[in-house]
Amino acid sequence: MTPSRHGLPALHLLLALAVMAVWGTNFVVIKLALAHLPPLTLAMLRFVLVFFPLALVLPRPKVPWRNLAFYGVLIGAGQFGLLFTAMRGQITPGLASLVVQVQVFFTIGLSMRLTGERVALAQVAALLLATAGLAVILTHTDGSATPLGLVLVLAAALSWSGGNMVARAAGQHDPKLNMLSYVVWSALFAVPPLLGFALLLEGPAAMARGIAAADGWTWGAVLWQSVGNTMFGYAAWGWLLGRHPAAQVAPLALLVPVFGLGASALVLGEALQTWKLVAFALVMAGLALGMLWPRLKTMMQTGKTR
């Protein structure tokens, strides 16, 4: 099948939508797993199953060990450790799926700092829109999100953006980088800090009680974290990015909070009050503008040269 210059072929688009659905509904799966497992214990188990047994069949990517270590710590202990902790009573799954997407702005900011590129007015406007949406969430105290929950998810988003920068550097070391292999081997460095923090903050007794209380649904949720969210999600997303321009594929990530909020409402009964929909619209508008701005800028520059 030959990729179209004007959009993704139908089957490729369906694959991308499947990845977005998995990543979006995963926030509900996380919430279900947290019913029995402490958050840091859950994150640790997730990355254990990411690393083993795939590390036995996937070769280690040709990148420095320190690069794998930085990515594993940032994504494991940083992004998911903080996100899981926030989702245990500090923020609803739907709002978590929305707020964590501000990693787009952190990634843009870190990239600009590294390249020296100036901030465009459109990007400032995008950030202001998203910030207004976060302010709407912060001003409501119905238990959907606490200030601590917002801070933890924003810190998770910052860790995610840092991981993006490390992964970009890995791509420079190995232009043919297999992203699934990269994620699997980096998990080796996610497990020790998560285990250490779990022992320190949750305690061996709570970890043991959570594991003992976990039922089939809980273990299914843990497996879904590693198999569905990581193995299928990253492999399929990397495959799509390898065959289509990033400008065609990356904007589809905006569907993650759509699936996240929808699944949380349908499965967990998360209320969709007017203020929540307003916050959703503001953050999504900011994300869309921030993510699509490079493409819009190129189109405008092309139009001027004609």
Side-chain angles (χ1 to χ4, degrees):
M1 185 178 295
T2 302
S4 169
R5 293 182 181 180
H6 304 289
L8 301 183
L11 290 178
H12 294 197
L13 179 60
L14 287 174
L15 178 61
L17 291 175
V19 174
M20 295 306 99
V22 168
W23 283 350
T25 56
N26 188 54
F27 288 85
V28 171
V29 176
I30 293 169
K31 186 67 175 179
L32 295 175
L34 288 173
H36 289 120
L37 293 171
L40 295 172
T41 302
L42 170 60
M44 183 266 296
L45 291 172
R46 169 198 169 123
F47 284 96
V48 167
L49 293 178
V50 167
F51 179 73
F52 184 83
L54 274 186
L56 299 178
V57 296
L58 289 176
R60 184 177 73 84
K62 298 176 182 179
V63 300
W65 281 107
R66 64 179 180 276
N67 182 281
L68 286 170
F70 278 130
Y71 187 83
V73 171
L74 284 168
I75 298 299
Q79 180 187 352
F80 287 102
L82 292 169
L83 178 65
F84 288 7
T85 300
M87 288 182 62
R88 193 162 197 183
Q90 300 296 328
I91 192 168
T92 61
L95 287 180
S97 72
L98 177 64
V99 174
V100 77
Q101 296 303 320
V102 301
Q103 61 85 18
V104 169
F105 298 108
F106 290 135
T107 301
I108 291 172
L110 289 173
S111 180
M112 285 182 168
R113 183 170 180 82
L114 291 174
T115 63
E117 183 183 348
R118 296 179 63 183
V119 180
L121 288 176
Q123 291 169 322
V124 174
L127 180 58
L128 290 175
L129 282 169
T131 301
L134 296 178
V136 170
I137 296 173
L138 188 59
T139 55
H140 287 80
T141 57
D142 64 348
S144 295
T146 65
L148 176 59
L150 275 180
V151 169
L152 287 172
V153 177
L154 288 173
L158 181 59
S159 296
W160 185 1
S161 66
N164 290 339
M165 294 295 100
V166 175
R168 180 179 297 180
Q172 295 172 351
H173 282 285
D174 182 6
K176 296 182 180 180
L177 180 66
N178 182 320
M179 193 62 192
L180 178 59
S181 178
Y182 183 71
V183 169
V184 167
W185 278 90
S186 68
L188 176 65
F189 298 95
V191 173
L194 285 170
L195 176 60
F197 282 124
L199 290 170
L200 179 65
L201 300 176
E202 296 169 350
M207 294 172 67
R209 284 196 302 269
I211 293 173
D215 55 16
W217 287 104
T218 304
W219 288 114
V222 174
L223 282 173
W224 185 249
Q225 292 291 299
S226 56
V227 177
N229 192 62
T230 302
M231 297 178 194
F232 166 73
Y234 278 101
W237 194 245
W239 186 86
L240 288 167
L241 287 171
R243 284 159 178 77
H244 301 282
Q248 289 185 0
V249 179
L252 291 170
L254 292 170
L255 294 175
V256 170
V258 175
F259 282 109
L261 199 63
S264 186
L266 289 173
V267 178
L268 302 177
E270 180 175 346
L272 298 180
Q273 304 97 323
T274 301
W275 70 263
K276 197 173 290 187
L277 295 176
V278 170
F280 178 82
L282 288 169
V283 174
M284 289 295 289
L287 290 173
L289 181 57
M291 191 174 290
L292 296 174
W293 169 244
R295 189 175 184 182
L296 294 173
K297 181 180 178 181
T298 301
M299 290 173 61
M300 289 187 295
Q301 290 175 342
T302 302
K304 289 178 179 180
T305 57
R306 287 180 179 176

